[in-house]
Amino acid sequence: PVLAPGNPGEWDDFTVASPWVLRESAGGTARYRMWYRGCRGTGRERACAIGHAASPDGLRWTKTARPVFEPPSAIERRQLRGVTVVRRAEGYLLWYSLTPELFNKGKASTLHLATSSDGLRWEAAGEVAEASEHLPYPIEPSVLDAAGTLHLWFVDSLRHLEKDNYAEHEGAPYLRHFTSSDG
C-alpha cells in the first residue's frame, strides 16, 4: 500500500479511502498532493475527517499528523464519504459528500463545498447538491476545471425499491453532470 491507516489511537486508524490526487509544479519541481477520507472507530463511534498527504513521486507519501478538514458536526463526521479537490488561481475547492443515517428514510445524500487558500486549512461553505434518491447511497464526486468552468460528476443511482428489488426510473441517467464557474 502507498497509504495505510494510522496507528491505533490516531484519527485515521480504522480506514483510509476516497483518495483524490493533484500534481502541482513549483520552480520546475513537481509534487503530488492527496486528500483522503480517514476514519477511526466503528458504528456509532465512527468519526471521519479529510486528511492530506504529499509525495515527490506519487508512491512514497507523507501524511499530515492531523486531519485538514472535519465536517462541522459529529453526525456529519459519521456520514462523510466521497472527496474531490480542484486547485484554482484563488485557492482550492473541496467537495465532500454526506450520506444520511441508514434508517433515516426521506433523506438523500448531499454534496458540500469547502474552500482553502493552501489546501491545508479549510472552511466549510455549505451544501451544493443533493442526490435524487432519498436513500443512503453515497455520492462519490469527481471534478475537473476546464478553462475556468468546473465540471462535477457523480453517480446517482436513480433507482427505487419495488417489493424486494430495486427498479430503474424511466430514462434514468446514472452519472450526473453539473457545471459551475465558482463551485
Side-chain angles (χ1 to χ4, degrees):
V2 296
L3 194 72
N7 294 320
E10 292 181 339
W11 73 272
D12 62 351
D13 65 358
F14 180 68
T15 188
V16 294
S18 300
W20 190 263
V21 176
L22 292 179
R23 182 179 182 271
E24 297 180 342
S25 296
T29 303
R31 75 172 176 158
Y32 296 87
R33 297 181 76 183
M34 177 192 302
W35 292 266
Y36 65 95
R37 176 174 52 98
C39 301
R40 66 175 161 72
T42 59
R44 303 286 289 161
E45 300 301 315
R46 180 174 126 155
C48 300
I50 296 173
H52 176 268
S55 171
D57 58 10
L59 299 174
R60 296 170 288 132
W61 293 89
T62 303
K63 296 192 293 186
T64 56
R66 303 288 314 143
V68 295
F69 178 77
E70 293 181 274
S73 75
I75 291 171
E76 290 174 339
R77 289 189 285 277
R78 279 197 308 272
Q79 298 168 320
L80 181 64
R81 291 298 182 276
V83 175
T84 188
V85 178
V86 70
R87 181 179 180 184
R88 303 188 95 188
E90 62 275 9
Y92 295 82
L93 300 174
L94 175 144
W95 292 265
Y96 60 96
S97 67
L98 302 174
T99 58
E101 294 290 331
L102 184 59
F103 299 107
N104 191 355
K105 294 195 183 276
K107 297 289 184 180
S109 292
T110 54
L111 191 62
H112 300 256
L113 177 66
T115 61
S116 173
S117 61
D118 61 5
L120 297 174
R121 293 179 304 275
W122 295 89
E123 186 174 319
E127 182 180 322
V128 296
E130 182 177 288
S132 64
E133 287 301 311
H134 290 242
L135 293 169
Y137 297 124
I139 293 174
E140 296 291 345
S142 182
V143 68
L144 172 70
D145 186 350
T149 299
L150 295 165
H151 294 265
L152 175 73
W153 294 267
F154 66 84
V155 173
D156 193 352
S157 74
L158 298 177
R159 293 175 180 242
H160 60 280
L161 186 62
E162 283 187 8
K163 297 184 183 169
D164 294 327
N165 197 6
Y166 285 95
E168 298 175 7
H169 289 283
E170 180 87 23
Y174 296 107
L175 187 62
R176 294 180 73 183
H177 176 246
F178 298 91
T179 59
S180 172
S181 61
D182 62 3

